[in-house]
Each structure stands twice: as structure tokens, then as C-alpha cells.
């Protein structure tokens, strides 16, 4: 089975802190994604990557950056956390669009 | 750009009754279509997918979905729901485009099962 592992299930951070969310997949997938999930808004794509050191902005990239130094790891960075970034963050990976995406368990981030 | 609409925010169904969750998409050609389920506090699990061939696709947990090009729809169905089906369901659309193969999700439908 594909496994996508997010480093934390729950995080509480202070406003202004730099926050790192880590995601690792074990299936050698080329594509990796970071989504944000909010009630009533569904999943919105923040950034995605289709190769090492490659990244593309999604629909809501403002306030976020990403890093992909190795194929299996895709990190989401909040440069200066704000309360409006309190949300559930979901990482996913996939080999192709036909295969769909496989999701991690999510990280619920609270910024206080 | 592709988009997805799930018109029902919340649906309540009696255990044993049939279920249909609606999904409408917008895309110029035949898209790749997916249904995912999310149990409380969990990530998303792929239920089924469609990108070509038979327009009625079978998935896991007894779910099926039918692609109707004329209606731009991909509705999810189950003949008899179980209490364990209570969850949030997301429809997603993808388009083949090298370097931009992302999924766009709908806003989700929350399913409640009553005894």
C-alpha cells in the first residue's frame, strides 16, 4: 500500500513563527501536493511539485513556500504564521493523473 | 481551467436506504474524475475513478459512479448504506497536462446516517 506520512497530526504555533510541515511518501511518486482544507471550502491546492526541486503554485500560494530536495519528501513552509492559516493541511502524492492522488492523515495546525 | 460543483452540503439517509451524491464538473474535454471519502479526523481515501471506457465504474466499499457527458455529471451511488458510510465525500476532477497534473476538488458533501 502507498504510504504518505505527515510528520505531525496536531500543531500549535504562535503568530509570526516560521512553521515547517513535512510529508514523506514511500512509492517513488513524481508528483506531490499540499492542500488546505477548510469547512465549506473543500480542498484548495497550495503548491505542487512534479519533480525534485520543481514547484508550481496552486490556487492559494500566498503566505506559503515549499521545498523538495528529495523525491520522497515535500515540505510546506509558513514563513510567518498568521491566525488565518489555522487549518487542516493535507499532503498527497501520485504517479500520474490517471492513478489519482494518495493522501496523508493531515496536520491540524492552530496558530494562536 | 477545470472546476467541480457538489451542490449538496449535507445529506441525511437512513441506514439501509439508497444513496446518491451529486457532482458536476466543468472541463472542455473528457476529464479524469474521482470520488474520495474522508472519515472524521482522517485523510482522504480514493473510492473510485473514471477516465475512459465503461461509464459506470465500480469502487470500493460497494460504491459506484456513472459518468454522463451530456450532463457533465459524475454522481456517486450506493444501493444500501451502512452506518460506517457516515463521512465526508469529495468529488475531484483532473486534466492531463504534463507538469500540471493536479486535482481540483469540490467543497464536499457530508453524509449522516440515521438508524
Amino acid at each position: 500500500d502507498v504510504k504518505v506520512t505527515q510528520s505531525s497530526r496536531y500543531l500549535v504555533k504562535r503568530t509570526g513563527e516560521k512553521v515547517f510541515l513535512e510529508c514523506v511518501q514511500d512509492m517513488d511518486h513524481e508528483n506531490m501536493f499540499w492542500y488546505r482544507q477548510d469547512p465549506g471550502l473543500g480542498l484548495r491546492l497550495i503548491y505542487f511539485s512534479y519533480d525534485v526541486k520543481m514547484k508550481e503554485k496552486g490556487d492559494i500560494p500566498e503566505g506559503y513556500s515549499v521545498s523538495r530536495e528529495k523525491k520522497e519528501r515535500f515540505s510546506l513552509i509558513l514563513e510567518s504564521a498568521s491566525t488565518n492559516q489555522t487549518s487542516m493541511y493535507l499532503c498527497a502524492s501520485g504517479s500520474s493523473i490517471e492513478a489519482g492522488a494518495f493522501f496523508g492523515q493531515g496536520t491540524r495546525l492552530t496558530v494562536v | 481551467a477545470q472546476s467541480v460543483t457538489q451542490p449538496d452540503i449535507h445529506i441525511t439517509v437512513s441506514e439501509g436506504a439508497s444513496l446518491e451524491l451529486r457532482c458536476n464538473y466543468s472541463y472542455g474535454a473528457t476529464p479524469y474524475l474521482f470520488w474520495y471519502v474522508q472519515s472524521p479526523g482522517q485523510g482522504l481515501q480514493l473510492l473510485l475513478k473514471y477516465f475512459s471506457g465503461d461509464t459506470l465504474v465500480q469502487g470500493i466499499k460497494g460504491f459506484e459512479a456513472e459518468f454522463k457527458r451530456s450532463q457533465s455529471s459524475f454522481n456517486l451511488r450506493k444501493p444500501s448504506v451502512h452506518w460506517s458510510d457516515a463521512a465526508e465525500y469529495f468529488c475531484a476532477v483532473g486534466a492531463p497536462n504534463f507538469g500540471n497534473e493536479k486535482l481540483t476538488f469540490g467543497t464536499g458533501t457530508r453524509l449522516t446516517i440515521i438508524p
Side-chain angles (χ1 to χ4, degrees):
Chain A
D1 279 355
V2 175
K3 193 162 186 180
V4 180
T5 304
Q6 294 183 230
S7 53
S8 303
R9 291 295 302 274
Y10 301 94
L11 276 178
V12 180
K13 296 293 182 180
R14 295 192 181 278
T15 301
E17 276 194 77
K18 190 169 186 176
V19 181
F20 294 85
L21 303 184
E22 306 287 346
C23 175
V24 177
Q25 51 99 358
D26 66 357
M27 284 302 291
D28 203 36
H29 286 162
E30 288 78 16
N31 303 323
M32 296 190 74
F33 310 86
W34 275 106
Y35 287 89
R36 170 177 172 160
Q37 182 181 13
D38 299 288
L41 297 178
L43 278 72
R44 293 179 291 167
L45 183 63
I46 304 172
Y47 268 96
F48 64 103
S49 167
Y50 55 90
D51 201 352
V52 175
K53 297 191 184 295
M54 304 298 287
K55 61 184 179 183
E56 293 286 340
K57 292 181 179 179
D59 300 317
I60 52 164
E62 297 79 16
Y64 304 94
S65 62
V66 290
S67 172
R68 193 169 181 198
E69 297 296 318
K70 294 184 178 181
K71 191 174 187 180
E72 67 270 19
R73 186 180 297 271
F74 192 36
S75 302
L76 180 69
I77 304 157
L78 286 66
E79 297 289 343
S80 177
S82 65
T83 54
N84 62 13
Q85 292 178 309
T86 291
S87 186
M88 170 72 91
Y89 291 88
L90 292 164
C91 175
S93 73
S95 56
S96 66
I97 195 68
E98 294 91 340
F102 297 87
F103 282 81
Q105 295 284 77
T107 296
R108 185 165 295 282
L109 172 68
T110 302
V111 182
V112 298
Chain B
Q2 64 262 34
S3 66
V4 178
T5 301
Q6 292 181 250
D8 303 307
I9 296 172
H10 187 200
I11 285 183
T12 300
V13 176
S14 297
E15 190 168 15
S18 64
L19 170 70
E20 182 168 26
L21 302 183
R22 296 184 290 165
C23 172
N24 293 98
Y25 69 89
S26 174
Y27 182 64
T30 300
Y32 295 86
L33 294 162
F34 306 83
W35 275 100
Y36 283 84
V37 60
Q38 185 182 36
S39 298
Q42 302 298 312
L44 275 70
Q45 181 183 20
L46 180 64
L47 281 176
L48 47 78
K49 60 186 176 183
Y50 171 82
F51 52 90
S52 66
D54 192 344
T55 56
L56 183 64
V57 293
Q58 303 296 321
I60 62 171
K61 302 178 187 278
F63 285 92
E64 66 179 26
E66 186 171 13
F67 171 63
K68 292 185 177 180
R69 184 190 305 276
S70 61
Q71 298 177 17
S72 298
S73 69
F74 188 56
N75 294 350
L76 182 71
R77 301 194 295 247
K78 187 170 184 178
S80 175
V81 298
H82 185 262
W83 64 266
S84 60
D85 294 324
E88 189 149 23
Y89 292 80
F90 292 93
C91 183
V93 62
N97 182 3
F98 178 74
N100 192 22
E101 294 187 341
K102 60 181 184 178
L103 294 181
T104 299
F105 285 81
T107 52
T109 298
R110 180 166 299 281
L111 176 64
T112 298
I113 308 295
I114 56 176

